[in-house]
Amino acid sequence: EKEAIAARAARLVEDGSTIFVDSSTTCLALARHLDRHPPPALTLVTNSPAIALELHAQSIHVIVTPGEVDQTLRMIGGRWTAEFLAELNMEVAFISAGGVTLEHGLTTTRRALADTLRAALASSAKAVGLIDSSKFGLSALLTIARAEELDAVVVDDGLPAETMKAYATAGVSLVMADGPRTASSVTA
């Protein structure tokens, strides 16, 4: 699911743009995809030490946020990170979450992560959620953003049709990633 989401999200990255990619495993899959298929020019800002170390494509200029390292989430966050991100101008922020519901939006259990992602969203012209279908219906302690506030939420083809309809009716722009079910339904 994460690979399919990453491949679909990569199509939203424009040559010459500046993007934020968070420290989630789904965003790591996006970064890996971009490294394998790099645009001619890209500035990628991340709060993930793992992403920073994985990228080798010469055309990707990597900027790592300052801040405190959370060893559990393997991310950089906190006040320094949020202040740094507030100074940037980015085209797209790609973020994930521990869960997403229509009532609470994208959620997490960590304050430093919520603050970091809110700062990235505020500094970006567009916001794209990368959320696998297993996280729909789950809610955590803190809201990062309302789902309908994002420009798009890229999801794998495991999301039930009734859930897709409920989110679309609520104004959430869902973008379906290509996957085994999508491919079989197209050929059927």
Side-chain angles (χ1 to χ4, degrees), residues 92-174:
V92 184
F94 291 96
I95 66 166
S96 193
V100 61
T101 65
L102 287 174
E103 183 180 6
H104 297 117
L106 282 71
T107 58
T108 183
T109 59
R110 299 294 179 115
R111 181 66 191 212
L113 179 58
D115 291 345
T116 298
L117 298 183
R118 285 186 200 124
L121 293 172
S123 293
S124 300
K126 293 182 182 176
V128 177
L130 306 182
I131 313 287
D132 71 71
S133 58
S134 71
K135 295 183 179 176
F136 280 74
L138 302 178
S139 182
L141 181 65
L142 301 164
T143 297
I144 299 163
R146 309 280 310 158
E148 61 273 13
E149 294 171 346
L150 302 181
D151 294 286
V153 175
V154 182
V155 64
D156 62 89
D157 64 352
L159 193 64
E162 60 274 7
T163 304
M164 287 185 65
K165 183 177 180 182
Y167 277 76
T169 300
V172 178
S173 176
L174 293 176

Side-chain angles (χ1 to χ4, degrees), residues 55-129:
L55 295 175
H56 300 290
Q58 292 294 317
S59 64
I60 302 176
H61 177 67
V62 180
I63 298 173
V64 182
T65 63
E68 299 175 43
V69 177
D70 180 319
Q71 296 292 5
T72 303
L73 294 180
R74 307 196 46 81
M75 67 126 205
I76 301 169
R79 183 175 171 190
W80 289 333
T81 309
E83 289 174 355
F84 176 80
L85 289 169
E87 298 292 321
L88 303 181
N89 300 309
M90 299 177 284
E91 278 75 31
V92 184
F94 291 96
I95 66 166
S96 193
V100 61
T101 65
L102 287 174
E103 183 180 6
H104 297 117
L106 282 71
T107 58
T108 183
T109 59
R110 299 294 179 115
R111 181 66 191 212
L113 179 58
D115 291 345
T116 298
L117 298 183
R118 285 186 200 124
L121 293 172
S123 293
S124 300
K126 293 182 182 176
V128 177

Side-chain angles (χ1 to χ4, degrees), residues 7-27:
R8 180 62 183 94
R11 297 186 348 213
L12 302 174
V13 177
E14 294 184 17
D15 179 39
S17 65
T18 299
I19 64 172
F20 174 82
V21 179
D22 83 9
S23 60
S24 66
T25 55
T26 309
C27 284

